[in-house]
Amino acid sequence: QARLVESGGGSAQAGGSQKLSCITSGYKWDSNCMAWFLQTPGKEREHVARLEFPSGDTYTADSVKGRFTISQDFTKKTLYLQMESLKPEDTGMYYCAVRGGSCVGFSRPSQYPYWGQGTQVTVSS
């Protein structure tokens, strides 16, 4: 069973930056898709970015494109989300998720069977 643990959340000012980490374990697939989702109060969980292994292809939501970068240390089995130029609307609980197979077309929370507990990010004006 896959296990994921997020860290790196906290408070930041608008225009600032933060880096989230997700340590993974308990699975072995020839290919997989690691993703970050944002849960905003009063709204449904939404896709932020995802990364495909072993291709290295990435997919980023329009709302964060050019500001957030997803990456992975394949040796350490750790997923990262580098967040820059933060905005108040980036506030929420960030979750790490993983599924076996490709990332193509998989941007819905229901398509990911394994999740971490989340890490809170709060951006103030």
Side-chain angles (χ1 to χ4, degrees), residues 64-91:
V64 303
K65 194 166 295 181
R67 300 188 299 119
F68 291 11
T69 301
I70 188 169
S71 63
Q72 183 175 18
D73 184 324
F74 299 111
T75 300
K76 295 181 173 63
K77 305 296 183 183
T78 302
L79 184 74
Y80 302 99
L81 185 67
Q82 178 65 51
M83 306 185 294
E84 299 177 350
S85 301
L86 285 165
K87 302 176 180 180
E89 54 259 44
D90 297 322
T91 293

Side-chain angles (χ1 to χ4, degrees), residues 6 93-96 116-120:
E6 304 97 331
M93 187 73 72
Y94 285 79
Y95 293 91
C96 178
Q117 296 301 305
T119 184
Q120 177 70 32

Side-chain angles (χ1 to χ4, degrees), residues 93-114:
M93 187 73 72
Y94 285 79
Y95 293 91
C96 178
V98 64
R99 65 177 301 279
S102 77
C103 278
V104 179
F106 294 95
S107 62
R108 298 166 59 188
S110 63
Q111 296 170 321
Y112 292 78
Y114 302 106

Side-chain angles (χ1 to χ4, degrees), residues 8-36:
S11 299
Q13 296 295 119
S17 63
Q18 281 190 287
K19 187 174 184 178
L20 308 183
S21 298
C22 174
I23 301 174
T24 69
S25 63
Y27 68 91
K28 185 175 182 180
W29 294 308
D30 291 337
S31 62
N32 67 267
C33 182
M34 298 289 298
W36 287 100

